Amino acid sequence: MTDNYHKIWQTVLAVPAGKVASYGQVADLAGLPGRARLVGKSLGMAPTSMQLPWYRILRSNGQLAFAKGSESAERQKGLLQTEGVVVMNNRVRLKEFQWQPDLGEILFKLDF
DNA sequence: GGTGTGACAACAA
DNA sequence: TTTGTTGCCACAC
């Protein structure tokens, strides 16, 4: 089912700037509980042409999904900080920046 | 239509 | 905290 990708992308687009979400969280909201890995894959497949805020997606523990020194990790860090998210030592304080989805917000942006 | 593969998660040590 | 192990299952070949 390739439409899962669309659901995932939509969900990612719903994450507000200045906040982050975990892969599992996105999977859940996309109606794909337990498919966290699929989220990662779909982000990887996503055409750069559609500006997807992939950088707002982190691991469940708040770490960036990329290796510490990697290009991507640095780029992600930069983008996040642009939005006011503090990234230290390749990780974010979820306690402060994790997106707490608002029911209305969900229903508005994604209607399944 | 069988196999290998993840930008993961949860748990253990 | 970091590293390793295991479970997971849709997706690309």
Side-chain angles (χ1 to χ4, degrees), chain A residues 36-74:
Chain A
R37 305 185 74 147
L38 190 57
V39 173
K41 244 188 195 178
S42 59
L43 290 188
M45 311 289 296
T48 55
S49 54
M50 71 154 72
Q51 311 143 277
L52 209 57
W54 55 271
Y55 50 87
R56 293 184 199 146
I57 312 303
L58 317 173
R59 290 196 175 171
S60 58
N61 57 7
Q63 287 199 318
L64 303 199
F66 297 102
K68 186 176 176 188
S70 70
E71 284 296 318
S72 312
E74 292 305 314

Side-chain angles (χ1 to χ4, degrees), chain A residues 94-106:
Chain A
L94 288 181
K95 223 184 167 183
E96 311 181 29
F97 300 108
Q98 183 168 81
W99 176 40
Q100 279 130 39
D102 183 85
L103 182 54
E105 196 173 349
I106 307 287

Side-chain angles (χ1 to χ4, degrees), chain A residues 4 7-8 10-12 14-16 20-35 39 57 99-103 105-107 109-112:
Chain A
N4 283 338
K7 290 184 184 172
I8 291 170
Q10 256 191 68
T11 307
V12 172
V15 179
V20 301
S22 75
Y23 289 87
Q25 190 178 0
V26 171
D28 277 352
L29 295 174
L32 305 165
R35 308 281 147 340
V39 173
I57 312 303
W99 176 40
Q100 279 130 39
D102 183 85
L103 182 54
E105 196 173 349
I106 307 287
L107 293 175
K109 302 206 172 183
L110 358 134
D111 32 34
F112 297 153

